[in-house]
Amino acid sequence: MSGGINAHWLMHYRVVTLVNQCRRLIRDEFGVKLTLTDPRLREALSEYAGRSGSTELKRLIRQIDEEAGDAMPEDEPVHGSTEQRPARRMYRGQPLPDPPADAGASSESGPEKTIIYRGRRVRGG
């Protein structure tokens, strides 16, 4: 999922409900449709809440920050940092272990390839 969307903060049902309420208010006030798949969704919500005259929108943004946590997820760079780490691969909300360094050099059809199906080794070494 390199370069993909980091939506850890959207993994909670309550946060998604609050975000959808914010999206409706922003659409009504500014005429802008924000999508849940936007990688800058959280920043865009905060920007529109700052420009908005709606106290309801500002209250919802504060609730989102409380529910989702103010800290950025570990694989998103903090604003102002110059170095950018590659995004961690995720499976069902859990980070996957990093692949071995020589994984790219080995052949896909080589006999040393291990195939795991539903958590069990079915072929390979």
Side-chain angles (χ1 to χ4, degrees), residues 16-84:
V16 174
T17 303
L18 295 170
V19 168
N20 284 330
Q21 290 174 5
C22 289
R23 290 174 55 219
R24 269 186 232 109
L25 290 171
I26 290 170
R27 185 187 64 218
D28 293 343
E29 186 173 350
F30 297 101
V32 176
K33 283 188 170 184
L34 298 175
T35 62
L36 290 175
T37 58
D38 183 10
R40 289 193 58 248
L41 177 63
R42 195 163 181 181
E43 293 100 20
L45 290 173
S46 297
E47 288 171 11
Y48 282 110
R51 295 187 338 197
S52 174
S54 170
T55 57
E56 177 69 12
L57 183 58
K58 293 177 184 180
R59 182 187 64 78
L60 288 171
I61 292 296
R62 280 194 306 271
Q63 273 189 299
I64 289 172
D65 287 341
E66 290 170 7
E67 295 271 341
D70 291 327
M72 297 295 279
E74 66 184 42
D75 58 346
E76 269 190 19
V78 178
H79 293 291
S81 71
T82 56
E83 76 177 54
Q84 194 171 15

Side-chain angles (χ1 to χ4, degrees), residues 79-96:
H79 293 291
S81 71
T82 56
E83 76 177 54
Q84 194 171 15
R85 295 184 295 173
R88 296 279 316 253
R89 295 179 343 162
M90 302 295 286
Y91 178 73
R92 294 186 178 186
Q94 300 295 320
L96 290 175

Side-chain angles (χ1 to χ4, degrees), residues 5-13 15-16 19 36-38 41 68:
I5 298 167
N6 183 356
H8 293 274
W9 64 281
L10 277 174
M11 293 292 174
H12 305 286
Y13 177 77
V15 173
V16 174
V19 168
L36 290 175
T37 58
D38 183 10
L41 177 63

